[in-house]
Amino acid sequence: MTEPADTPKQDYRDSVFLPKTEFPMKAGLPQKEPGILARWQAADFYTELRNRRRGRGKFILHDGPPYANGDMHIGHALNHILKDMVVRTQTLLGKDAPYVPGWDCHGLPIEWKVEEQYRKKKLNKDEVPAVEFRAECRAYAQNWVDTQREQLKRLGINGDWDNPYLTMDFQAEATIVAELLKFAESGQLYRGAKPVMWSPVEKTALAEAEVEYEDIVSTQIDVAFEIVESPIAELVGAHAVIWTTTPWTIPVNQAIAYGPDVEYIVFGLGDRRVLVAEKLFQDFLLRASYLKIDGVIQDQIPPPELSKTFRRYKGSELAGTMVQHPMHHLGGFFAKPRPMLAGDFVTTDSGTGLVHMSPDHGEDDFDLCKANGVDPVFAVEGDGKYRADWLWLGGEGSVINPKFNAPDGPICTALRESGGLFAASADYKHSYPHSWRSKAKVIYRCTPQWFVPMAKATVGATLREKAMTAISDTRFIPEKGRNRLSSMVEGRPDWVLSRQRAWGVPITLFVKKGTNQYLDDAAVNARIIAGVRAQGVDGWSEERAQEYLGPDYALADYERVTDILDVWFDSGCTHAFVLESGRWPDLQWPADLYLEGSDQHRGWFQSSLLQSCGTRGRAPYDAVLTHGFTMDQKGMKMSKSLGNTINPLDLMRDSGADILRLWALTVDFTEDHRIGKEILQGVSDQYRKLRNTFRYLLGALDGFSDAEKVVVADMPELERYMLHLLADMNVKLRQAVDDFDFNNYVRLLTDFANEDLSAFFFDIRKDSLYCDAATDPKRMAYRTVLDILFHALVRYAAPVLVFTSEEVWQTRFPDADSVHFSDWPEVEAGWIDTKLAENWGSIRGARMLANELIEPMRRNKEIGSSLEVEYSYPGDAGEIDLAELFIVSTVHLGREAGAVKTANHKCGRCWRHLPEVVDDGALCGRCADVVGG
């Protein structure tokens, strides 16, 4: 119906059945949502849901623990909304789907924050007793657990918030220790010296997942090592030239690597003979022709005169050649000749084709030198300075300081004075690893560490083989996650477990002095686990060491390890102390699903996989779902410095949590995705349309009761067609749940509400709803279908719009239980009618054509409403009232499609223009019967 062009002769408004509801069009979510949340909490909703679902089939999503060290950000919000959507949809399907949230409470991120507080107070962490420092870390973590918990609850996340898991709980710490000792007892643990990622700023080893890569500009240098011995006599006295972007490693050089199959040349350059790869000869000459400092040419060197005689050698011919360090005059370590060694990793992509080797500071360096009896010397300390007793630059550094490595810095200056520097320029752009926490550069540093071997066979297979098998047995959403995790596990080195920090679970081992052999005694291990269970990580102390060793061992014979565990081992054990402990009896092992960001292929997904495969022989999960990262509206990474961040707390305060949830479930979260004001405005528009759909349903169903229901077989075709569409969507929604395709889930729901209901079904049947008699079979059938739609749609929407769906449900059923206790809607498969759907598909096409022909008349103000149109339709209508379907005055069948303004008068009640209406404002027959009662 549209507003009449003129005032009716009699006012029939009171006789029209207009929708009636107290459900407001304006949402007011920021004001309403906290009240709904408070009611759920007061009713202990989570516990009641567990009680109602107990005994049903389970679905276990194990929560990946975020760090307890800051306010919730948009990534947290997306991640937890997705998890909540999984849990709620599985619950809707009738399963028992508990959700226990957790937090990662140990490790460098929290320790670093506490140290920041110390620095502000001008305190030195190393001067504070370890027990006191750990207590402050524990208090800091607990504060942020409490803060984040309230923020996540505000999102409408349903979980066991009163009983979350924390990696710093004593029971959890004891379980982590027990899991470590399982590795020790099965021989999957060893101590060795290998180069590992090391942060001089944080003074600890780092896991690959704690490292990020950034583009930097480094100093590149070419350094000459004089050949002092060689099976090829002509080479003696020549200079092998290496190229490096880490000048600080030259003071720790112990060898030079060559490519066995690389072609090398020796040529005269000024008064010296030089050895480089032939392919890189011109590049070397270009670098050697000038000296740059801070990108500015300081000294232009005339191209030296080249000898006309070039000698060529195959790399393999260099075997047995020895060189001397350019700083050999210092004596000691530097006086010893360095071997030239064959290295398969040497390429001619850049540099000189000769690679200087420092086994302390590179994986290839370490492996090649170890194979040739060259051991690391541990010259660089944990803070990035050279040892005080080191002959060259002792006590100086830090090695990551750009000025220390600069062309005019102490290293290059000394090399230049010794005649060993051919070229130096601070202009080499490349990607370099940084600590993701401190943002400072990291180095490879060889230190004694504890490792889990990837290639050692235990119980018939290596850890790598077990992990690769587990990956093949796991479902990945999206599928590309399988390849990503496989490639990481396939090529990863041994797992470095040890960290040289204070806040974490200790590596609870005793090592026999004079050996690297740890004590493996079940009784000792049991006492250690009990001690940690009673006191937490503080239980691993020197004071209790003899107590743990018991009467059979003397502490004087053993070293108590003081390193702590990699925090990724902590979180990798969460499946053990959460799913298996019995503290949360509704949970079970293994988990059905792990869900985190795509960066967790190298983090939690992988550490959990390796930990579980090492102790249980399989992954702790059956499926892994990954989401991308949230970018700003332009697709740029969010950064406080750029001012392009979206604070979810502000968004909830201004727009409500349901808007944030709807955004998270409409983006393609499997890829990187965007958020911004314009995007959120679109989401708000989408929400408004869904809300108006519910508002219409509530109003149209005012006073509806079971007595009004009509059986499906007695319904008109249109109602049966709508039930077909509902049943068809029901199948697709269930598939979307199975596929975790929530973007499609929401799109199906919103498209159905907007296109099939609001723009089609509601539009056509509003005349029947408003103007037919309350007992009219068509109107009753329509309201019956609306009731079915209401029960289905509010349940479908409940996992998405958790607050709005509850508001809708309580508006209609104020005394009923929460909608979130409901199961999946009962939609009968028999409602599917393919033939009927095909027919109505054609009819909808004809309706669209009619609208296209009528719209220009409305636009040109020939008509005020489509009810003023007589429409010609070329086909046959059968039993369908096309005038009602097209919302026009009359339809003439068997004519070419077209629209003209009618001369019929308008009914004063239903506003239809019909031949039977004798004058504008008079009643049509239908309305006269209704009014006359």
Side-chain angles (χ1 to χ4, degrees):
M1 293 174 64
T2 60
E3 290 296 329
D6 55 301
T7 304
K9 293 179 180 179
Q10 184 175 341
D11 190 347
Y12 294 106
R13 282 181 295 183
D14 291 342
S15 70
V16 175
F17 304 107
L18 294 175
K20 180 182 177 183
T21 179
E22 295 180 356
F23 187 77
M25 184 181 299
K26 183 177 174 61
L29 295 177
Q31 294 74 39
K32 290 178 182 174
E33 289 174 343
I36 296 173
L37 189 61
R39 290 199 298 275
W40 289 337
Q41 292 173 344
D44 196 5
F45 176 82
Y46 179 81
T47 300
E48 179 61 22
L49 182 59
R50 295 280 66 75
N51 293 335
R52 296 189 184 206
R53 285 294 190 272
R54 191 160 291 119
R56 299 195 187 185
K58 287 190 178 293
F59 184 94
I60 306 299
L61 182 149
H62 179 38
D63 187 31
Y67 279 122
N69 68 333
D71 285 313
M72 175 178 72
H73 55 66
I74 196 67
H76 286 129
L78 174 92
N79 176 266
H80 283 81
I81 290 168
L82 293 175
K83 290 174 180 175
D84 194 52
M85 181 68 175
V86 169
V87 171
R88 287 181 182 274
T89 51
Q90 294 297 323
T91 300
L92 191 61
L93 289 174
K95 296 179 183 177
D96 182 10
Y99 174 65
V100 176
W103 277 271
D104 205 344
C105 303
H106 294 132
L108 189 57
I110 291 164
E111 193 168 344
W112 186 253
K113 288 293 186 180
V114 175
E115 285 190 34
E116 282 183 352
Q117 296 175 0
Y118 276 25
R119 286 190 286 272
K120 290 178 182 178
K121 299 175 184 177
K122 297 184 179 180
L123 296 175
N124 186 345
K125 169 212 141 182
D126 296 333
E127 297 174 359
V128 177
V131 172
E132 182 180 324
F133 178 75
R134 286 194 291 266
E136 293 197 46
C137 290
R138 190 178 295 275
Y140 178 91
Q142 186 63 57
N143 173 67
W144 282 112
V145 166
D146 295 339
T147 299
Q148 287 187 13
R149 171 166 41 195
E150 294 307 309
Q151 293 170 345
L152 292 168
K153 286 162 67 174
R154 178 63 185 85
L155 279 170
I157 310 300
N158 186 37
D160 194 358
W161 294 110
D162 293 333
N163 192 28
Y165 77 81
L166 308 178
T167 59
M168 67 179 181
D169 283 349
F170 289 1
Q171 180 63 48
E173 291 174 337
T175 302
I176 295 168
V177 165
E179 292 298 309
L180 169 71
L181 294 176
K182 288 180 182 179
F183 276 89
E185 291 166 357
S186 60
Q188 296 183 85
L189 199 60
Y190 72 93
R191 181 158 68 174
K194 287 186 178 182
V196 296
M197 288 283 195
W198 182 274
S199 170
V201 171
E202 293 142 325
K203 301 178 186 177
T204 186
L206 297 179
E208 180 65 28
E210 297 171 300
V211 172
E212 59 187 11
Y213 287 79
E214 299 289 343
D215 290 336
I216 64 169
V217 177
S218 295
T219 296
Q220 56 176 332
I221 61 174
D222 291 83
V223 182
F225 288 71
E226 185 178 357
I227 297 173
V228 295
E229 182 182 328
S230 178
I232 305 171
E234 295 88 343
L235 285 181
V236 176
H239 289 77
V241 179
I242 65 90
W243 170 86
T244 182
T245 60
T246 53
W248 64 270
T249 58
I250 295 296
V252 203
N253 168 274
Q254 295 203 67
I256 291 179
Y258 59 82
D261 298 322
V262 175
E263 297 287 342
Y264 293 91
I265 61 171
V266 174
F267 58 93
L269 186 62
D271 60 354
R272 288 196 277 189
R273 290 179 297 129
V274 176
L275 172 70
V276 297
E278 183 173 16
K279 184 177 178 181
L280 296 167
F281 166 66
Q282 294 294 340
D283 291 345
F284 164 70
L285 287 181
L286 181 63
R287 291 195 302 274
S289 66
Y290 58 83
L291 174 67
K292 279 186 178 180
I293 298 177
D294 293 334
V296 179
I297 295 177
Q298 303 291 325
D299 187 10
Q300 185 71 40
I301 305 172
E305 183 178 342
L306 294 174
S307 63
K308 297 180 180 178
T309 304
F310 288 74
R311 293 294 304 272
R312 290 175 172 80
Y313 300 95
K314 189 83 169 179
S316 56
E317 298 179 67
L318 300 177
T321 299
M322 305 290 287
V323 301
Q324 69 179 5
H325 197 286
M327 302 298 289
H328 64 92
H329 61 277
L330 295 176
F333 169 81
F334 296 97
K336 183 179 179 180
R338 272 71 172 150
M340 293 189 72
L341 306 173
D344 293 335
F345 51 83
V346 178
T347 70
T348 55
D349 294 336
S350 60
T352 64
L354 296 170
V355 182
H356 104 85
M357 295 281 99
S358 174
D360 287 81
H361 302 297
E363 292 179 307
D364 289 334
D365 308 49
F366 178 86
D367 293 338
L368 181 61
C369 288
K370 181 180 179 181
N372 287 275
V374 180
D375 296 322
V377 292
F378 311 108
V380 177
E381 301 278 49
D383 60 359
K385 295 180 180 179
Y386 296 107
R387 283 173 11 206
D389 63 345
W390 202 243
L391 289 176
W392 182 21
L393 301 169
E396 295 188 41
S398 167
V399 298
I400 61 174
N401 187 337
K403 292 183 178 180
F404 193 69
N405 292 277
D408 59 348
I411 299 172
C412 290
T413 298
L415 289 172
R416 188 179 301 111
E417 291 172 351
S418 72
L421 189 67
F422 261 114
S425 59
D427 57 359
Y428 186 72
K429 297 178 180 179
H430 62 129
S431 181
Y432 192 87
H434 293 67
S435 165
W436 74 276
R437 177 55 47 188
S438 68
K439 308 303 179 185
K441 290 190 289 187
V442 302
I443 62 175
Y444 271 102
R445 177 173 179 257
C446 190
T447 59
Q449 302 287 347
W450 289 93
F451 297 87
V452 170
M454 293 297 296
K456 179 181 179 180
T458 55
V459 195
T462 68
L463 180 55
R464 192 186 316 278
E465 290 168 343
K466 292 176 184 176
M468 294 300 290
T469 298
I471 291 170
S472 67
D473 293 339
T474 299
R475 178 188 176 192
F476 285 85
I477 309 102
E479 177 61 28
K480 64 183 179 182
R482 184 188 311 280
N483 292 335
R484 186 171 185 187
L485 185 54
S486 294
S487 64
M488 290 178 176
V489 171
E490 194 171 31
R492 72 160 293 149
D494 290 350
W495 187 1
V496 188
L497 288 190
S498 46
R499 296 292 183 271
Q500 291 66 48
R501 301 295 296 187
W503 177 231
V505 177
I507 294 180
T508 51
L509 296 174
F510 291 103
V511 177
K512 183 77 171 178
K513 289 182 178 178
T515 74
N516 270 330
Q517 186 59 47
Y518 55 80
L519 178 62
D520 182 11
D521 185 297
V524 172
N525 291 347
R527 287 192 288 268
I528 292 171
I529 294 168
V532 175
R533 185 177 294 113
Q535 280 188 276
V537 296
D538 291 333
W540 181 246
S541 64
E542 195 69 21
E543 292 75 18
R544 297 193 65 181
Q546 186 61 64
E547 173 190 343
Y548 295 143
L549 286 169
D552 298 330
Y553 308 98
L555 179 59
D557 298 331
Y558 287 88
E559 166 204 351
R560 183 181 66 90
V561 176
T562 57
D563 290 345
I564 65 169
L565 281 166
D566 170 17
V567 71
W568 290 107
F569 189 89
D570 279 25
S571 59
C573 294
T574 57
H575 68 94
F577 61 77
V578 177
L579 304 184
E580 292 182 332
S581 68
R583 178 176 170 182
W584 295 273
D586 294 316
L587 301 179
Q588 63 185 24
W589 192 96
D592 292 281
L593 183 70
Y594 274 31
L595 189 166
E596 298 298 331
S598 56
D599 58 332
Q600 295 307 313
H601 288 113
R602 65 172 185 165
W604 189 55
F605 296 149
Q606 188 174 160
S607 66
S608 299
L609 172 72
L610 297 180
Q611 199 285 325
S612 185
C613 285
T615 55
R616 291 154 178 80
R618 61 150 291 169
Y621 42 70
D622 290 334
V624 167
L625 188 155
T626 53
H627 60 78
F629 293 96
T630 304
M631 306 296 181
D632 75 0
Q633 194 154 291
K634 297 178 181 178
M636 296 179 64
K637 184 178 180 180
M638 289 191 180
S639 168
K640 290 182 179 178
S641 62
L642 295 176
N644 62 346
T645 58
I646 297 288
N647 187 331
L649 302 176
D650 292 342
L651 183 55
M652 287 191 290
R653 181 196 64 214
D654 297 338
S655 302
D658 271 357
I659 298 299
L660 185 54
R661 293 179 66 96
L662 187 58
W663 162 79
L665 298 169
T666 53
V667 298
D668 181 3
F669 63 82
T670 62
E671 303 288 346
D672 290 347
H673 45 270
R674 303 182 183 190
I675 191 171
K677 289 184 178 180
E678 292 181 13
I679 292 171
L680 289 170
Q681 183 57 54
V683 173
S684 295
D685 291 343
Q686 195 174 12
Y687 171 83
R688 178 179 50 79
K689 292 176 182 179
L690 280 170
R691 185 176 183 87
N692 284 341
T693 297
F694 283 120
R695 185 169 186 270
Y696 176 86
L697 286 169
L698 287 168
L701 287 168
D702 179 47
F704 181 82
S705 67
D706 288 348
E708 194 176 332
K709 289 183 177 179
V710 176
V711 297
V712 174
D714 294 338
M715 291 181 180
E717 273 195 18
L718 177 56
E719 276 64 29
R720 287 187 281 117
Y721 170 59
M722 295 312 300
L723 292 179
H724 162 86
L725 293 179
L726 176 64
D728 181 64
M729 181 180 68
N730 185 70
V731 172
K732 293 174 180 176
L733 288 174
R734 293 198 69 144
Q735 187 61 52
V737 170
D738 291 343
D739 295 339
F740 306 106
D741 187 359
F742 302 136
N743 169 274
N744 188 41
Y745 183 98
V746 175
R747 186 170 59 252
L748 286 166
L749 189 59
T750 55
D751 286 352
F752 181 75
N754 296 335
E755 297 172 14
D756 294 322
L757 297 184
S758 296
F760 180 68
F761 190 42
F762 296 169
D763 195 35
I764 293 170
R765 282 293 191 243
K766 64 186 176 184
D767 175 76
S768 178
L769 177 69
Y770 297 172
C771 299
D772 281 350
T775 56
D776 185 277
K778 181 169 65 174
R779 186 178 188 274
M780 292 171 65
Y782 177 54
R783 297 233 296 172
T784 300
V785 171
L786 292 185
D787 181 60
I788 293 170
L789 289 169
F790 176 88
H791 282 279
L793 295 183
V794 74
R795 286 169 170 82
Y796 293 147
V800 182
L801 306 175
V802 295
F803 295 104
T804 302
S805 60
E806 187 79 325
E807 181 190 4
V808 170
W809 185 257
Q810 293 295 324
T811 298
R812 188 174 181 200
F813 305 116
D815 299 323
D817 284 338
S818 169
V819 68
H820 298 292
F821 288 133
S822 303
D823 285 341
W824 191 267
E826 295 181 5
V827 176
E828 297 182 20
W831 292 347
I832 294 286
D833 189 331
T834 305
K835 185 176 180 180
L836 179 70
E838 290 176 355
N839 183 45
W840 274 88
S842 299
I843 293 171
R844 291 183 75 168
R847 186 173 186 266
M848 289 178 62
L849 175 60
N851 289 338
E852 290 174 5
L853 293 174
I854 293 170
E855 184 55 32
M857 299 174 67
R858 195 196 320 267
R859 195 165 52 246
N860 295 332
K861 301 190 184 302
E862 296 177 43
I863 59 171
S865 162
S866 63
L867 289 171
E868 300 175 44
V869 171
E870 292 188 21
Y871 187 73
S872 297
Y873 178 66
D876 182 18
E879 298 179 0
I880 298 172
D881 183 354
L882 291 182
E884 181 186 29
L885 182 68
F886 295 165
I887 314 179
V888 296
S889 169
T890 308
V891 174
H892 303 288
L893 301 177
R895 301 180 185 178
E896 182 179 352
V900 297
K901 184 172 181 178
T902 184
N904 293 331
H905 293 291
K906 181 172 69 174
C907 174
R909 181 170 177 269
C910 68
W911 299 345
R912 294 185 66 179
H913 293 250
L914 299 169
E916 64 202 68
V917 180
V918 298
D919 193 11
D920 286 348
L923 297 181
C924 66
R926 184 261 313 255
C927 288
D929 290 341
V930 174
V931 172

